[in-house]
Amino acid sequence: MAKDKLAFIDEDVANLKEQGLLINIRTMESPADAWMVVDGKHVLNLCTNNYLGLANDPRLKQAAIEAIKKWGVGPAAVRTIAGTQGLHLELERRMAAFKGVEDSLYVQSGFCANQAVIPALVGKEDCILSDRLNHASIIDGCRLSRAKILVYEHCDPEDAKRVIAENVGNYRRSLLITDGVFSMDGDVAPLDKLYEVTEKYGVMTMVDDAHGEGVLGQGKGIVAHFGLEGRFDVEMGTFSKAFGVVGGSLAGKKRIIDYIRQKARPFLFSSAVTPADTAACLAAVQVLEESTDLVDKLWDNTSYFKTGMKTLGFDTGHSETPITPVMLGEVSLAKRFSARLFDEGIFAMALGFPTVPLGKARIRVMVSASLSHDDLEVGLKAFEKIGKELGVI
Ligand SMILES: *Cc1c(COP(=O)(O)O)cnc(C)c1O
């Protein structure tokens, strides 16, 4: 008999298990909200990217229901053949206006958006300047482009300048890409300084604003936060985080967005987003256009929770956003902490290597506008109890 050709899977999984790296996937049994049922247990949700609480918002749900009645459930084609519906175009117009840019494109997800835009702008003869801690979907988009990837130190415009000065002359074109808000630490890219450097050398610019849209710049994102509207070449975003739905967005100069419509493979070869999702995204944009109440509440909750955690003696890193890393060090401690929190009715996940560097394991708390101060107090009390129990504070 031939040897078991799938044995490598068992070996690899055993390895992951031994290193404590096997991912345990929990099951949500209720909508994403302040309180959720997770694996059968009623818990306070400090875990999702539902920054503004829109994932279960009645306005978005109603818009999705109406869209299904009017448009059906599926677009039945890729965007370039027969899949572009009026709803898609309306969302693209409204999103561009909201962000203060010339044009925008709606694609299936944020991950797809990065695969769409990067290989469209650069190829084999070009180079990419990439922050050391850029998101996996950026890294994959960069690899797919076959451009030379040149890494600069994290959030370091001086180092970016050095790498640009030493290298861009050797390539046909160059593109600088950075996360706007870094999702593990909650720190913010120095977009103003990076912009200055790239302008001087004629480097194209792109920012992945998955954690900045709906959060920074009164909801408009990191480019608005720095007052750089219309100057960055491309802003990539997602409708799956603060906007509470699903889908990716590319926003920026019309010349670039039009070009992506011609070139981007996920746009050309994968079907359009459903009417229900598109309509819910439109309703989310409308909520943000009408008022900054949810964004304000998010920031109020953020300062309430972070102040509480610091007063208790926790190390919450150097986040400047609602992402609140609770630094614990060893992955085993972070996992025990998270498991004890879950026993106490708090859902907050531990993150370890390779998601974060070795020895920098943490629990990442995601603050949301859906939480009340009373909810946050429940969370703080549990962190205090378990922090003392495990000798962290
Ligand atoms: C979540 C995330 C993405 C992917 O967005 P999806 O819409 O979930 O595919 C891309 N970039 C960053 C920085 C993210 O955090």
Side-chain angles (χ1 to χ4, degrees):
M1 210 169 72
K3 80 180 210 312
D4 176 8
K5 63 186 176 190
L6 300 182
F8 75 97
I9 293 179
D10 308 333
E11 282 160 31
D12 200 22
V13 168
N15 263 337
L16 289 172
K17 212 178 232 165
E18 199 181 299
Q19 296 168 62
L21 298 177
L22 202 65
I23 299 168
N24 166 35
I25 304 175
R26 292 195 183 274
T27 307
M28 311 298 123
E29 289 158 7
S30 67
D33 234 327
W35 292 84
M36 294 170 76
V37 181
V38 180
D39 287 337
K41 195 174 160 75
H42 183 67
V43 289
L44 180 71
N45 168 22
L46 297 181
C47 230
T48 56
N49 299 318
N50 188 22
Y51 286 112
L52 301 177
L54 291 174
N56 193 34
D57 186 285
R59 293 165 289 189
L60 275 64
K61 285 158 76 168
Q62 192 54 37
I65 291 164
E66 280 164 22
I68 288 177
K69 287 185 183 153
K70 183 167 175 204
W71 294 89
V73 288
V78 299
R79 289 283 306 270
T80 47
I81 296 181
T84 294
Q85 298 174 320
L87 269 178
H88 296 125
L89 298 181
E90 191 184 341
L91 176 60
E92 289 167 350
R93 271 196 304 274
R94 290 277 286 282
M95 189 64 179
F98 173 65
K99 289 183 66 72
V101 296
E102 290 172 6
D103 201 358
S104 91
L105 185 71
Y106 182 44
V107 296
Q108 300 88 339
S109 71
F111 194 98
C112 259
N114 278 330
Q115 316 307 300
V117 62
I118 302 168
L121 294 180
V122 287
K124 258 204 321 259
E125 298 152 75
D126 308 318
C127 72
I128 293 170
L129 298 309
S130 179
D131 185 289
R132 182 172 292 289
L133 297 186
N134 272 349
H135 190 259
S137 62
I138 299 179
I139 295 169
D140 286 6
C142 292
R143 287 181 181 153
L144 204 56
S145 76
R146 295 189 291 164
K148 175 77 181 168
I149 301 167
L150 303 165
V151 170
Y152 62 87
E153 292 308 324
H154 176 55
C155 284
D156 186 344
E158 279 306 312
D159 196 49
K161 186 172 174 183
R162 178 189 64 78
V163 178
I164 289 172
E166 284 172 11
N167 290 285
V168 297
N170 303 325
Y171 296 90
R172 183 181 62 171
R173 288 198 289 274
S174 51
L175 170 68
L176 181 136
I177 311 178
T178 181
D179 267 35
V181 175
F182 288 83
S183 57
M184 293 301 137
D185 291 292
D187 52 340
V188 173
L191 228 55
D192 48 351
K193 301 208 173 74
L194 290 170
Y195 179 73
E196 262 174 44
V197 174
T198 53
E199 270 302 277
K200 191 165 160 215
Y201 289 89
V203 176
M204 294 183 285
T205 47
M206 167 178 165
V207 59
D208 175 334
D209 207 15
H211 288 273
E213 277 176 359
V215 176
L216 291 172
Q218 303 199 306
K220 297 183 167 134
I222 190 172
V223 171
H225 171 78
F226 280 101
L228 292 169
E229 291 100 319
R231 282 193 269 168
F232 244 66
D233 292 314
V234 191
E235 295 173 56
M236 169 271 165
T238 176
F239 288 96
S240 70
K241 289 175 178 142
F243 289 82
V245 195
V246 75
S249 157
L250 294 162
K253 296 173 177 167
K254 185 165 168 42
R255 258 161 100 196
I256 293 183
I257 304 300
D258 272 342
Y259 187 62
I260 297 168
R261 287 191 181 98
Q262 300 298 321
K263 292 281 179 179
R265 294 169 71 84
F267 184 73
L268 298 172
F269 297 108
S270 180
S271 292
V273 187
T274 68
D277 289 318
T278 312
C281 290
L282 255 170
V285 174
Q286 180 156 348
V287 167
L288 278 159
E289 280 169 351
E290 283 171 357
S291 148
T292 60
D293 286 356
L294 288 175
V295 181
D296 298 341
K297 176 126 181 278
L298 171 67
W299 283 96
D300 172 65
N301 279 350
T302 299
S303 82
Y304 188 87
F305 186 76
K306 281 188 178 168
T307 305
M309 288 296 279
K310 279 184 195 137
T311 307
L312 288 172
F314 283 102
D315 172 5
T316 56
H318 39 258
S319 166
E320 300 162 67
T321 61
I323 296 169
T324 310
V326 182
M327 307 305 285
L328 295 168
E330 287 311 311
V331 71
S332 53
L333 175 61
K335 286 197 159 175
R336 254 178 75 210
F337 205 116
S338 171
R340 283 289 297 119
L341 282 171
F342 197 74
D343 294 340
E344 299 286 326
I346 311 293
F347 183 31
M349 289 292 268
L351 299 171
F353 183 79
T355 310
V356 296
L358 272 175
K360 297 222 165 160
R362 66 200 65 181
I363 286 179
R364 186 181 60 162
V365 171
M366 303 299 282
V367 178
S368 165
S370 65
L371 300 160
S372 66
H373 281 198
D374 285 350
D375 294 332
L376 292 167
E377 272 305 320
V378 171
L380 288 166
K381 288 252 151 53
F383 267 99
E384 180 178 19
K385 177 175 174 186
I386 293 153
K388 286 181 174 157
E389 185 184 303
L390 299 181
V392 175
I393 52 168

